[in-house]
Amino acid sequence: MENVLRPLIVIGGSVVLTLIIGWATDLLLRKADARHGETPLWDLLRRARVPYQLVLCTALLRGSYDLARLVHAHRVAVGRALTLVLIGSAAWLVVRIAAAVVETTYSRYARAHHDAARVRRVRTQVSLIMRVVTAIVGVVAVSSMLLTFPEMRAAGASLLASAGVLGIVAGVAAQSTLSNLFAGLQIAFGDMVRLGDTVVVDGEWGTVEEITLTFLTVRTWDERRITMPVSYFTSKPFENWSRGSAQMTGIVYWHLDHSAPLDLMRERLRDILRQCAAWDGRACGLVVTDSTPNTIQVRALVTAKDADDIWTVRVTVREQMLTWLTTTHPYALPRVNTAEALLPPHGHPVRNPTRNPTLPTPSPRNP
């Protein structure tokens, strides 16, 4: 009977004690969150209750396993398995706690600063810092798991002795990966590109959606995702429309007839912009920028607070102006002249440009 009750008491007591401690901790975190609603720290820490309870349960079982006297013949193997689970759950708990602290710090910073560009820069740095912390914790956890095996500890001396050669080989083999890694850190702390920035890369316009230590994802206007190595942004030129200020100036072109009513078009442009909510009111203008034998090129200049609004203003102005010209001034639209060529006025003969005007015209009878 003792052989049955002892394992049940030890294992059951560990599980019950874990549940009680986890429930009490969660209750305290909920009260703290209700009392301090201005910070999301306590609610974020509640997300770590699963790894927290796993660490508690594994630690209790690891400490009381010898008292249970269960599977005594495999005591070493079971103890090592519990140690591995304890190390993995502890690493998971550390990552969750670090994420809660970092996210809380970012939230406070975002509330205190109203500069969108600066907030996006900090968001990019925080995201990459969390990835670095997760990678470091993962490497340490895996190394600790391997060191629980005696064979790995014995091989440690030989690994350290050959560390120089292995480092050279690994550096040559992972040259591209390392360059992307350092490029990611350069982007994060060099403020070259940030999450939410509007960029143009390889002729594609989109918004930076994700930045990791090795690659960057751009979401285009038609919902496609372009994934490229972060080293691209440190070695090649690209357009960042959100750098500095998000305000933008856009242009709209029309090819019209020479008789287009330019003054009326300027008045109509101002009327269109007054009714367009995306126009920020900073500037507008309409000028003739070029001419050909058949048409003139008219350019309208408009402004908006960001790239999305400038697109809306441009298409609105282009469409409504063409509709207005078609309805009220159709003669201003470009057309192809299909009429016959006009003859010179009567009594003004056309001179032959190949003749010398100073010489007399030869008589038909005496050429």
Side-chain angles (χ1 to χ4, degrees):
M1 181 63 68
E2 182 181 357
N3 294 333
V4 177
L5 291 178
R6 184 186 295 271
L8 290 177
I9 293 174
V10 172
I11 298 176
S14 300
V15 173
V16 171
L17 187 59
T18 299
L19 293 177
I20 293 174
I21 296 177
W23 174 81
T25 304
D26 186 66
L27 180 62
L28 293 176
L29 290 176
R30 279 185 294 178
K31 290 184 177 180
D33 183 53
R35 189 179 301 111
H36 303 282
E38 73 281 358
T39 175
L41 175 62
W42 310 111
D43 184 61
L44 292 174
L45 287 176
R46 291 187 61 212
R47 300 179 183 178
R49 56 183 178 270
V50 174
Y52 173 67
Q53 293 178 357
L54 188 58
V55 168
L56 285 177
C57 185
T58 309
L60 291 174
L61 289 176
R62 184 67 182 87
S64 60
Y65 176 73
D66 292 337
L67 298 176
R69 298 178 184 178
L70 184 65
V71 197
H72 191 71
H74 302 282
R75 180 175 57 84
V76 177
V78 174
R80 185 173 298 164
L82 290 174
T83 302
L84 294 177
V85 174
L86 179 61
I87 294 174
S89 57
W92 186 10
L93 179 62
V94 169
V95 171
R96 285 292 181 88
I97 294 176
V101 173
V102 171
E103 186 68 23
T104 302
T105 304
Y106 166 74
S107 300
R108 291 178 177 176
Y109 184 89
R111 286 196 303 267
H113 296 79
H114 301 286
D115 187 355
R118 182 179 296 181
V119 171
R120 289 200 306 270
R121 179 184 63 189
V122 174
R123 181 63 178 174
T124 303
Q125 295 174 353
V126 164
S127 177
L128 291 179
I129 287 174
M130 270 308 306
R131 294 181 185 275
V132 172
V133 170
T134 303
I136 293 175
V137 173
V139 170
V140 172
V142 172
S143 302
S144 302
M145 290 179 180
L146 293 177
L147 290 178
T148 58
F149 297 91
E151 295 81 3
M152 296 302 299
R153 289 198 298 266
S158 60
L159 289 176
L160 290 176
S162 59
V165 178
L166 290 176
I168 296 175
V169 173
V172 174
Q175 182 178 3
S176 177
T177 302
L178 291 176
S179 65
N180 285 328
L181 176 63
F182 288 111
L185 295 176
Q186 184 177 353
I187 286 177
F189 296 96
D191 198 23
M192 299 174 58
V193 62
R194 299 153 298 196
L195 291 172
D197 279 3
T198 301
V199 297
V200 178
V201 289
D202 287 341
E204 296 285 353
W205 179 89
T207 304
V208 178
E209 186 177 55
E210 182 181 8
I211 300 177
T212 69
L213 292 177
T214 55
F215 67 89
L216 185 147
T217 302
V218 177
R219 177 173 57 85
T220 61
W221 64 273
D222 54 355
E223 301 299 331
R224 291 181 292 118
R225 266 68 176 179
I226 301 176
T227 302
M228 49 184 40
V230 292
S231 58
Y232 175 92
F233 293 87
T234 59
S235 60
K236 296 182 180 180
F238 65 96
E239 296 183 29
N240 189 342
W241 291 6
S242 302
R243 180 75 176 182
S245 174
Q247 295 177 342
M248 297 199 66
T249 300
I251 55 177
V252 181
Y253 286 107
W254 297 279
H255 292 276
L256 304 175
D257 190 78
H258 290 82
S259 59
L262 298 178
D263 292 336
L264 296 178
M265 289 181 64
R266 293 186 178 96
E267 295 179 5
R268 179 58 182 168
L269 175 63
R270 288 190 287 268
D271 293 340
I272 294 173
L273 292 177
R274 291 190 191 101
Q275 299 174 3
C276 182
W279 182 53
D280 62 357
R282 286 190 295 123
C284 69
L286 189 144
V287 294
V288 177
T289 56
D290 197 4
S291 65
T292 67
N294 298 320
T295 61
I296 58 174
Q297 186 184 66
V298 180
R299 186 198 70 184
L301 183 143
V302 293
T303 58
K305 64 180 178 64
D306 55 30
D308 292 334
D309 282 355
I310 199 65
W311 171 262
T312 303
V313 174
R314 290 175 61 194
V315 296
T316 301
V317 168
R318 184 184 295 112
E319 177 182 348
Q320 295 192 18
M321 185 67 75
L322 286 176
T323 303
W324 177 75
L325 289 174
T326 304
T327 305
T328 59
H329 303 282
Y331 60 88
L333 299 177
R335 56 186 180 272
V336 178
N337 192 354
T338 59
E340 296 181 359
L342 296 176
L343 296 176
H346 182 68
H348 296 276
V350 179
R351 293 181 179 273
N352 189 346
T354 61
R355 292 185 178 273
N356 190 337
T358 62
L359 297 179
T361 302
S363 173
R365 296 181 179 180
N366 187 17

